[in-house]
Amino acid sequence: MGRTAKGPADENFPVGSWLLARDRRPHVAAFYAFARTADDVADDPDLPAAAKLDRLDRMAAALVDGGDGDVGDRLRRSLAAAGVPAAHALDLLDAFRQDARQARHPDWASLMAYCDRSAAPVGRFLLDLHGEARARWPAADALCAALQVLNHLQDLGADRRRLDRVYLPQDWLVAAGAGDRDLDRLACTPALRRVVDRCLDGVDGLLRRSRPLAAGLADRRLAAEAAVIQCIAERLSRALRAGDPLARPVRLGRGAYGVALLVGLGRAFGDRAFRRGVAGAAARPAGP
C-alpha cells in the first residue's frame, strides 16, 4: 500500500471516526496504532526481512504477555478492558509476516487469503467491540477485502518501486500478456489495464456481498460507519476505472467524501426506518 509513516489523514477509509460511540473510540485508536506500527515495520524498505520478522514477533509477545508500554502492551490492556480477543491483532501480524516473506500472489484466491488476515481482522475487531453477531462476519470480510484491494490498486507503482511488491494476481498478469515491468511505466499499458479492471470486477463483487452489512448491524453508529465506508469504496472503485493509478494518484476529494457521507447515512438510517416499518406492520393485528 505504500504505507510507511502514514497516519489517519492518509487513509481512504475512516477508522474510529466520530460516527462511532465516544467510549469505543479509544479502543479503536489503540487497535489502529498497533496495526499502523506493524504495517510500518513490514513496509520499511530499509529493514531486511529477518529484522522485520523479529520486530513483529516482539509485538506479538507484547500483545500476549505484556511489555514496556509499547503499542502491543497498550492494545493488550485495551482489549482486556473491552472484552475483545487478541486473535484479530495476531492475525494482522501474520499478514505482515507474509508481507516480509512474500512479494507476489499467484492468483486471486491467494490474494483473498491474504486479505482474510490483513484486512478482515479489522472489521471483525469492530464487530466484536460493538457486540455484533458473528453472522455479520462474511459481509464485513467482503467489505474489508474490497478496501484492501482498492488501496493496492491505488498504490501499484509505489509498491513496486519501493518494495518490489505486487498485489496483482500473477496468473491474471500472464493471461493478459502483462508483467512486473508494466508497473514501471508512467501509465498503464493496455494489458495492465485489463488486469486492473479485472481486479475491480472482483472488488465490485465483494461490494455487492458487503452491501447488506450496515442494515444488519444492531449498533446504529457502527451501521452508519459501515454504510459510509461502503459508499466511499463504491465511489473509489468507479474512480479507479476512470483513472490511471500509474499516471496520477487516484483519490477522492472532499466533495466526494461529503457525498459518500450523506448517501451512506441515508442508506443506514433509511434502511433501518424501512425495517422498523415492516416489523411494526407485521406486529399489528390484521384488520377485519
Side-chain angles (χ1 to χ4, degrees), residues 167-188:
Y167 289 103
L168 298 174
Q170 292 295 298
D171 61 341
W172 290 5
L173 286 168
V174 171
D180 290 352
R181 290 186 178 181
D182 291 65
L183 296 167
D184 299 330
R185 297 176 178 267
L186 298 179
C188 285

Side-chain angles (χ1 to χ4, degrees), residues 48-279:
K52 293 179 181 182
L53 294 171
D54 177 67
R55 293 191 185 185
L56 293 170
D57 287 344
R58 282 189 275 129
M59 289 184 69
L63 179 62
V64 174
D65 301 320
D68 298 322
D70 62 7
V71 292
D73 186 43
R74 290 199 297 274
L75 180 59
R76 180 185 61 81
R77 288 184 274 111
S78 172
L79 293 173
V84 176
H88 308 310
L90 293 171
D91 284 344
L92 283 179
L93 290 179
D94 192 37
F96 295 136
R97 291 188 187 97
Q98 183 176 348
D99 276 334
R101 299 188 184 102
Q102 179 181 333
R104 302 291 187 277
H105 293 272
D107 50 36
W108 180 257
S110 171
L111 184 60
M112 289 298 98
Y114 167 77
C115 290
D116 195 51
R117 287 170 293 109
S118 68
V122 178
R124 294 176 181 182
F125 162 76
L126 287 170
L127 292 177
D128 280 357
L129 180 64
H130 288 80
E132 298 288 346
R134 295 201 171 189
R136 307 297 172 221
W137 278 22
D141 290 353
L143 179 56
C144 290
L147 306 184
Q148 183 79 88
V149 176
L150 288 169
N151 275 321
H152 289 161
L153 294 176
Q154 287 178 289
D155 292 338
L156 282 177
D159 283 341
R160 164 68 170 167
R161 288 191 303 273
R162 294 183 58 259
L163 300 162
D164 188 29
R165 198 179 286 166
V166 178
Y167 289 103
L168 298 174
Q170 292 295 298
D171 61 341
W172 290 5
L173 286 168
V174 171
D180 290 352
R181 290 186 178 181
D182 291 65
L183 296 167
D184 299 330
R185 297 176 178 267
L186 298 179
C188 285
T189 61
L192 181 59
R193 182 73 246 182
R194 288 194 291 274
V195 179
V196 170
D197 287 342
R198 191 171 179 182
C199 288
L200 289 171
D201 290 341
V203 165
D204 291 345
L206 291 166
L207 291 175
R208 285 191 293 273
R209 288 162 49 193
S210 65
R211 183 74 180 269
L213 174 63
L217 296 174
D219 186 281
R220 296 185 68 185
R221 285 178 170 270
L222 183 61
E225 177 97 346
V228 170
I229 293 177
Q230 174 84 22
C231 288
I232 292 172
E234 290 168 356
R235 294 183 72 86
L236 184 55
S237 180
R238 293 194 294 270
L240 281 163
R241 284 194 187 275
D244 184 335
L246 291 186
R248 61 187 60 83
V250 178
R251 299 284 187 267
L252 298 183
R254 289 186 178 181
Y257 277 112
V259 171
L261 174 64
L262 294 175
V263 172
L265 291 176
R267 282 185 189 173
F269 295 112
D271 285 350
R272 285 171 175 274
F274 175 76
R275 288 184 5 251
R276 284 198 301 271
V278 171

